[in-house]
Amino acid sequence: MDKSILTDYTDARELIKETEEDIRRLRKREIVHDKVSGSNPEFPYQPQSFNLSGVAEISLDDSELKKEKELLQQRRENARQIKIKAEEIMNRAPVRMQRIIRFKVFQEKSWDEVAILMGRKCTADSVRKEFERYLKEK
């Protein structure tokens, strides 16, 4: 059981969000503007000018798009696996350590906040050292 995966949890969670955003951006959209001229279809014919605007979709060639999307999905899945492993490690930890991991790693609280939440006259340093000792154990 590799407990160092806990340190990768936050990055994996953020990587999942970033990768999902990259997947959405694969099809870029661009606002285009144009000006055309014409006239009334009926008499008296009067020249008029029209402004047009819309969204043009710029897409990569299908094979490139498919390959890039597959790579992004693979990256997202790898990050999800790290996240799942971290959660499995937490479930195997003693109850007190589960609370520390939940507060520090999953909720990203400071050591001072973790100590307050743990109660029992804990200090930031004592909780941090307990966590570090747990990570060093095999």
Side-chain angles (χ1 to χ4, degrees), residues 7-90:
T7 58
D8 294 337
Y9 176 85
T10 304
D11 290 328
R13 186 178 62 204
E14 292 303 316
L15 183 61
I16 290 169
K17 290 177 190 173
E18 293 163 3
T19 304
E20 287 172 349
E21 183 61 33
D22 289 343
I23 290 171
R24 281 191 290 275
R25 285 189 207 149
L26 275 180
R27 290 197 178 270
K28 295 183 179 179
R29 295 173 186 255
E30 182 180 333
I31 297 175
V32 291
H33 302 282
D34 199 4
K35 191 173 194 175
V36 295
S37 56
S39 68
N40 263 342
E42 299 173 7
F43 185 80
Y45 303 108
Q46 299 170 333
Q48 294 182 345
S49 189
F50 302 94
N51 290 322
L52 303 173
S53 63
V55 177
E57 193 170 293
I58 302 168
S59 65
L60 302 170
D61 136 350
D62 283 340
S63 62
E64 289 176 9
L65 182 66
K66 185 177 180 182
K67 183 171 180 144
E68 190 171 352
K69 189 172 184 177
E70 286 173 2
L71 289 171
L72 288 170
Q73 289 172 338
Q74 185 179 14
R75 181 189 311 157
R76 180 179 59 194
E77 186 56 34
N78 291 342
R80 278 194 178 132
Q81 291 302 317
I82 290 171
K83 189 177 169 200
I84 289 169
K85 287 177 186 175
E87 290 168 354
E88 287 173 353
I89 289 171
M90 186 186 107

Side-chain angles (χ1 to χ4, degrees), residues 3 5 17 24 41 43 91 94 97 113 118-119 123 126 137:
K3 295 175 189 173
I5 202 89
K17 290 177 190 173
R24 281 191 290 275
F43 185 80
N91 287 342
M97 189 52 57
E113 292 171 318
M118 291 301 292
T123 66
S126 69
E137 291 176 3

